[in-house]
Amino acid sequence: MRATTLLTGASLVLASLAEAHWHSTPKQHLGIVKRAAVTCAANQYKYKSVCYDCSDSDGATCDRKGPLTCSTLFLRPWGGRACVAAADCGSKWFANTNTMTCERCADPNALTCSDDGKTALSCASRFLSNGACVTQSKCPSNSFANSRTRTCQQCEDADAVKCYPSGTALSCSTKYLLSGECLDSCPTGTYQDEVNHVCKQCEDDDAATCTADEALTCTNGFLYDGACVDACPSKYFGDTATNACVVCSNSGAIRCAATTIDTACGTNDFGETTYLDSSITTCVKASDCPSGTYPESFSSTCTPCPGSGAASCDATGVTLSCSTGFLSGTDCLSECPSGYHGDEEEHACKPCRDGVLTCDADGELSCTKTSKGVETYLDSAAAQCVESSACPEGTYPEDDSFTCTTCTGFGAATCDLTGKTTSCSIGYLWEGSCLESCGGTTYAATASTCAACADGTVTCDADKSLSCGTNAAGSATYLLFGDCLEAEACPSKTFADTTTSECSSCGDGALTCTSADAALSCGQNSEGVATFLASSACILAEACPTGTFANSDDATCTSCSAGALTCTSATVALTCEGGLYLTTAGACVTADNCPISTYPKSASAALRRRAISAISTCAACEDGATKCTATYSTACGSNKEGKQTYLLNGHCVLREICPDWSYADDTNFVCRRCSAIAPGSLTCDGKGALTCGTNSAGAQLYLTPNQNCVLPSSCPGSTYVDEASTTCQQCDDGTTSCTGSGNGKALACGRTSAGVSVFLTASNTCAASCSGAYFADDATSTCIACDDGETSCTGSGDGDALTCGLNSKGIETYLDPSNDCVVAEKCPSAYFADSESLKCVQCDAGEASCLFAGPGGATSCAKNDAGAQLYLDASAECVVAGDCPAATFVNDDDFTCTACADGALICTSSTDASLCGTNNTGNPTYLDDGLCVEVDKCAAGTWPDSELFVCRECDPLVEADAKTCTPTAALTCKTL
């Protein structure tokens, strides 16, 4: 820095030394000598009465820190005062040609602005529109937010209200939007939405033109009722000229190829069914179908009659008349069937007379049965079919040919319907023939007939057989009282004697026999006494051999049952062989086979020795016994009253008689001791103990649920000791160990009888689910407490919490992302403790910490998705550095938009302001070495410049020792 040239050389040296000393020595140590006031040039500043050139060559006025005004350039008040070209004022600033200073653009979002600062020329984060920086949504009509140029750029289409960044239209003003263009009219397949000014696709894909509700014209199909169809409905045809469905002119047509060309028919407007007459392609009534056709209902057509040669037919196609051949039923035949002849005039088959098989116009040719089943026969002479009785004399009705056939045979006068002779004019009639004389097995019964002897007769007269032989069946016959009988026909007490061919008498008493000495069955003898068959002889009852009895049922000496000496029937013995026993049913059995409920009782030996009749029998056991000996029972069953009995001390007693120390065993039917099934029991049933006593040591035993008697220490699982009833009582369902029944008595849990798992709660109860801050542990079947602070969980340990609440210290906890409950300050970075959900909820994107989600909740900031550091502003929002609000600075120590010191408008730190304004008390402040101070706080040796709001140094040329001053004079001095 150089001193002013107005000083003398010595003064210049002194001034230079003074300046160097000023800058290197603390002011309070300088001994400044007061001298006359000095006036500096326009581009100089005075310091300690010395004029120094402004550090900026363009500075018009300046102080020690830089220019205060500029000559040709513009004063830039930030980043160290300097005079700069207009282009160097920097982003968001403009060169004010009136004040020759760089001033902040009026629009805080402007990157550059007009010379007066009022109009934005470019924008930083918003979009330029009519001199203002606006958000994307505020870009005016017919423009879009161009992110590259940061402007609201005119849409390419002048009619566009909104458009994409590419320039294509999003909406239109007066025209119609389609594929990013505003069109004067909508193309084929679309219609004009007058409300939204868009071309909307026709709902019908084939529509060429349409409205919102229906098609108006079609491209490929046919228009019908506002829709394009591939095929027109009934009663319409597709007009290819107009691509529309046109109604058929004939009301009976359901399809047509043109207005007057019908192709299918139905019901007309009068309710009449119509049929297609293909000869005129018109639907006509049934009565109008042409000759040779009939109205066929299935196809609704006038269909040619199907029968060959048919002249007409009915509505089902059945032939009614013929043009060629003869009508037979529904067919036209070249020849009529049997029973008919052809009528050439009517072309029909006329029936022959009833009973005639074939006929012609001249007469009847063959015969058959009438409709009533009467057979007729052809009388050839009369050419007529007659009944059998009407055949002429000398003929008979022959059934094979149905003709009146001439009788044949020697001497035949008449014959029967089979042609067999029935009377003779010569000889004797025998078996349909005329014989010269009767002979063999016949005799002359009349002057003209032979009669046969009886069947089997060899010779006979008119009254009886004289000798017998073989009959017609080939069986030998036997003479009895003038008749020839087959062997089996010989009466009782006779037999067929092959020697004499007669029925001869059996022996005395025999009813049937094979000879006089060989009886087959017996009856009463000649004295009227019954006889019995034994060895082919009929004997008296008392003569029946030992071991048999006279059986009146079949008159035989029948064998007694095995082992019986005497008997009254085949099943009832009276005495038995030695070593066998007679049962009450009359059977002889071994001792081992005496029936149930009996025992073998032998006859007294003394009686046997004395030859007194004695019988060994199967004697009855006591009532109810099924097995026994002579002295006691060994097995029991039902007694005479049908009641079951049980074996007790060799006797069969009723159930209720079994003593208390036993039970009725329904398997073996005994009164079985309780000790056998349940040791230690006092009473019992078939399943086990009912009550218990003491063991051998005198200790009381307890009844278990499965009816055993055990010591209390041995009560099975799932039971507890009930001292009052001396029983092991069952725990509640699902409880595997307990001290009693009911709530609060469970010790361990498992599964219920229904298979449901239950868990031991803190209140010693088995429950199907755990409540509160507990979880069900399948391994131990217990409800285990969740970790501290957890109100529900799936397990203990990290990551198992479901919901959170107060912990053991009474502090609220919150569910973090790893499913643990933590106190609020332990919520992870970028999460906050939400008191409503009791969860650590993630902060908004870019926030390092927050108090809540949404606007105004941030407490510290991180980087955004693009990797740019964000800063916390006063509204608790995280913004990029360029969006920190006025009177704040980007603080990289804590990543906040930190407020400048009170009064500072622009600063880079809390102690480095570059522009000052009004402070919080409403007083203007002045820039003093990076601080904004009120007017009376400007540092000693400075004065408040109210134009630039800076504490400007007192001019040293005016007064180097000035403590306070004005621009032109000292007000107070520091030392003088």
Side-chain angles (χ1 to χ4, degrees):
M1 188 178 295
R2 61 185 181 83
T4 179
T5 55
L6 297 176
L7 300 175
T8 63
S11 299
L12 182 58
V13 172
L14 180 60
S16 298
L17 291 174
E19 182 181 16
H21 186 68
W22 174 271
H23 288 291
S24 61
T25 305
K27 296 176 184 179
Q28 61 270 32
H29 296 158
L30 295 178
I32 303 300
V33 179
K34 186 177 180 181
R35 47 186 173 271
V38 176
T39 301
C40 296
N43 62 343
Q44 292 181 327
Y45 70 93
K46 182 173 64 175
Y47 182 70
K48 295 188 182 294
S49 300
V50 177
C51 292
Y52 298 94
D53 288 337
C54 292
S55 58
D56 193 308
S57 60
D58 192 61
T61 61
C62 56
D63 60 16
R64 290 171 54 204
K65 294 185 178 181
L68 296 174
T69 60
C70 299
S71 299
T72 60
L73 301 179
F74 298 88
L75 179 64
R76 185 182 68 193
W78 56 272
R81 293 197 300 272
C83 293
V84 298
D88 294 328
C89 279
S91 297
K92 301 188 178 183
W93 295 74
F94 72 95
N96 190 330
T97 55
N98 293 325
T99 62
M100 296 304 288
T101 59
C102 294
E103 295 184 5
R104 188 75 128 160
C105 294
D107 192 324
N109 293 292
L111 189 62
T112 60
C113 53
S114 61
D115 291 344
D116 60 1
K118 296 179 181 179
T119 303
L121 299 177
S122 65
C123 302
S125 58
R126 296 190 179 185
F127 302 90
L128 182 63
S129 174
N130 298 324
C133 292
V134 298
T135 59
Q136 180 175 347
S137 62
K138 295 298 180 65
C139 278
S141 176
N142 195 234
S143 68
F144 68 95
N146 189 325
S147 299
R148 183 176 58 80
T149 62
R150 308 304 296 180
T151 61
C152 294
Q153 185 173 318
Q154 184 76 27
C155 296
E156 290 181 4
D157 195 317
D159 193 61
V161 178
K162 295 289 184 181
C163 55
Y164 288 106
S166 61
T168 56
L170 271 171
S171 60
C172 301
S173 175
T174 60
K175 297 182 180 182
Y176 304 94
L177 179 67
L178 179 67
S179 300
E181 293 185 59
C182 294
L183 305 176
D184 292 326
S185 61
C186 292
T188 298
T190 65
Y191 68 94
Q192 297 174 177
D193 182 342
E194 300 293 347
V195 176
N196 300 303
H197 283 277
V198 295
C199 292
K200 287 190 174 178
Q201 187 73 33
C202 294
E203 288 191 8
D204 195 316
D205 293 339
D206 190 51
T209 60
C210 63
T211 66
D213 301 318
E214 60 182 5
L216 298 177
T217 60
C218 301
T219 303
N220 299 310
F222 302 96
L223 181 66
Y224 175 74
D225 195 23
C228 294
V229 297
D230 293 331
C232 292
S234 174
K235 297 184 178 293
Y236 289 80
F237 74 94
D239 187 346
T240 54
T242 62
N243 277 34
C245 291
V246 178
V247 68
C248 301
S249 61
N250 190 329
S251 68
I254 59 174
R255 288 197 301 275
C256 57
T259 306
T260 58
I261 300 176
D262 301 335
T263 58
C265 304
T267 304
N268 63 19
D269 291 344
F270 301 102
E272 300 168 321
T273 302
T274 64
Y275 303 85
L276 181 64
D277 182 351
S278 57
S279 64
I280 58 175
T281 62
T282 301
C283 294
V284 299
K285 295 185 294 182
S287 59
D288 293 334
C289 278
S291 176
T293 67
Y294 70 97
E296 202 279 309
S297 298
F298 182 76
S299 62
S300 294
T301 59
C302 295
T303 302
C305 294
S308 175
S312 64
C313 54
D314 66 11
T316 63
V318 175
T319 301
L320 298 177
S321 64
C322 300
S323 57
T324 60
F326 304 96
L327 179 64
S328 176
T330 61
D331 298 314
C332 294
L333 306 177
S334 58
E335 293 184 2
C336 290
S338 177
Y340 291 82
H341 69 91
D343 187 325
E344 296 290 348
E345 291 184 1
E346 296 182 13
H347 286 282
C349 290
K350 298 290 186 176
C352 298
R353 191 169 58 85
D354 191 22
V356 177
L357 182 61
T358 59
C359 63
D360 59 18
D362 298 325
E364 295 165 352
L365 302 176
S366 62
C367 306
T368 185
K369 291 181 180 181
T370 66
S371 58
K372 295 182 179 180
V374 178
E375 295 175 333
T376 65
Y377 302 87
L378 181 64
D379 181 352
S380 300
Q384 187 176 6
C385 291
V386 298
E387 292 184 9
S388 60
S389 61
C391 278
E393 186 175 356
T395 65
Y396 70 94
E398 202 279 311
D399 288 331
D400 290 337
S401 62
F402 286 97
T403 60
C404 293
T405 304
T406 301
C407 295
T408 61
F410 168 77
T414 60
C415 55
D416 64 13
L417 298 179
T418 65
K420 185 183 294 185
T421 300
T422 56
S423 65
C424 297
S425 57
I426 301 172
Y428 298 89
L429 180 66
W430 172 247
E431 293 182 348
S433 299
C434 294
L435 305 177
E436 290 183 1
S437 63
C438 297
T441 57
T442 66
Y443 66 96
T446 67
S448 60
T449 60
C450 294
C453 294
D455 188 26
T457 301
V458 175
T459 60
C460 67
D461 59 20
D463 297 325
K464 61 183 179 298
S465 296
L466 300 177
S467 64
C468 299
T470 303
N471 63 14
S475 300
T477 63
Y478 302 88
L479 183 64
L480 179 67
F481 305 130
D483 292 317
C484 290
L485 307 175
E486 291 186 2
E488 55 269 22
C490 284
S492 177
K493 299 184 180 183
T494 67
F495 69 96
D497 189 341
T498 58
T499 302
T500 63
S501 294
E502 294 179 352
C503 292
S504 300
S505 295
C506 295
D508 190 21
L511 293 178
T512 60
C513 61
T514 59
S515 70
D517 299 323
L520 293 176
S521 63
C522 300
Q524 290 182 347
N525 60 16
S526 57
E527 297 179 357
V529 179
T531 62
F532 299 87
L533 181 65
S535 301
S536 300
C538 291
I539 61 176
L540 297 176
E542 56 267 23
C544 282
T546 301
T548 67
F549 70 98
N551 190 339
S552 301
D553 294 334
D554 59 4
T556 63
C557 292
T558 303
S559 296
C560 296
S561 59
L565 291 176
T566 59
C567 61
T568 60
S569 71
T571 57
V572 180
L574 293 176
T575 60
C576 299
E577 296 175 355
L580 298 180
Y581 297 83
L582 181 65
T583 69
T584 56
C588 293
V589 299
T590 62
D592 293 338
N593 289 321
C594 275
I596 190 170
S597 300
T598 66
Y599 68 95
K601 181 179 181 182
S602 298
S604 167
L607 292 176
R608 289 198 300 273
R609 285 194 301 270
R610 292 164 57 191
I612 297 175
S613 177
I615 302 174
S616 295
T617 61
C618 292
C621 298
E622 70 173 330
D623 188 20
T626 58
K627 292 181 181 180
C628 64
T629 67
T631 56
Y632 58 87
S633 297
T634 58
C636 299
S638 297
N639 63 13
K640 293 176 182 179
E641 296 178 352
K643 296 181 179 180
Q644 181 63 49
T645 63
Y646 300 85
L647 186 63
L648 175 65
N649 297 330
H651 293 284
C652 293
V653 300
L654 295 175
R655 174 187 292 270
E656 54 267 25
I657 303 302
C658 285
D660 290 342
W661 46 261
S662 68
Y663 71 95
D665 182 347
D666 287 316
T667 301
N668 299 301
F669 303 115
V670 298
C671 294
R672 192 173 299 280
R673 288 183 175 274
C674 291
S675 58
I677 189 173
S681 59
L682 291 177
T683 60
C684 61
D685 60 16
K687 297 179 182 178
L690 294 175
T691 59
C692 297
T694 59
N695 63 7
S696 58
Q700 178 63 48
L701 299 178
Y702 290 74
L703 180 65
T704 67
N706 58 355
Q707 294 183 253
N708 288 326
C709 292
V710 298
L711 291 171
S713 59
S714 297
C715 278
S718 302
T719 66
Y720 66 92
V721 175
D722 184 357
E723 296 290 351
S725 63
T726 63
T727 58
C728 299
Q729 288 290 339
Q730 188 72 44
C731 295
D732 294 336
D733 191 19
T735 304
T736 58
S737 178
C738 64
T739 59
S741 177
N743 293 336
K745 300 297 179 67
L747 297 176
C749 304
R751 286 179 178 271
T752 66
S753 56
V756 177
S757 294
V758 290
F759 303 89
L760 183 64
T761 67
S763 60
N764 288 346
T765 301
C766 291
S769 61
C770 298
S771 60
Y774 290 83
F775 70 93
D777 182 34
D778 290 325
T780 62
S781 294
T782 57
C783 293
I784 297 179
C786 297
D787 294 339
D788 192 21
E790 297 176 0
T791 56
S792 65
C793 62
T794 59
S796 60
D798 295 339
D800 289 326
L802 294 175
T803 56
C804 303
L806 296 175
N807 63 14
S808 57
K809 297 180 180 179
I811 301 174
E812 199 74 75
T813 63
Y814 303 85
L815 185 66
D816 71 7
S818 59
N819 291 329
D820 287 310
C821 291
V822 299
V823 293
E825 55 269 24
K826 293 296 184 179
C827 279
S829 176
Y831 284 77
F832 70 93
D834 182 15
S835 57
E836 290 186 6
S837 65
L838 295 182
K839 292 181 179 179
C840 294
V841 178
Q842 191 166 17
C843 299
D844 295 338
E847 296 178 0
S849 62
C850 61
L851 295 176
F852 52 84
T859 56
S860 65
C861 301
K863 293 181 178 180
N864 62 15
D865 292 340
Q869 178 63 49
L870 302 181
Y871 299 86
L872 185 67
D873 67 10
S875 61
E877 291 289 321
C878 289
V879 298
V880 295
D883 287 340
C884 276
T888 65
F889 67 92
V890 175
N891 190 339
D892 285 315
D893 292 336
D894 58 5
F895 301 118
T896 62
C897 296
T898 303
C900 296
D902 188 23
L905 298 178
I906 300 173
C907 65
T908 57
S909 72
S910 58
T911 58
D912 189 19
S914 58
L915 183 65
C916 298
T918 303
N919 64 13
N920 291 334
T921 60
N923 296 321
T925 62
Y926 300 83
L927 184 64
D928 183 17
D929 197 20
L931 299 177
C932 291
V933 299
E934 291 190 6
V935 64
D936 59 343
K937 300 296 183 180
C938 279
T942 65
W943 59 278
D945 186 341
S946 297
E947 291 185 359
L948 298 178
F949 292 98
V950 297
C951 292
R952 196 179 292 280
E953 290 187 356
C954 295
D955 191 344
L957 297 179
V958 175
E959 178 53 63
D961 192 45
K963 181 177 182 182
T964 60
C965 60
T966 66
T968 58
L971 296 177
T972 60
C973 297
K974 298 175 183 177
T975 58
L976 301 178

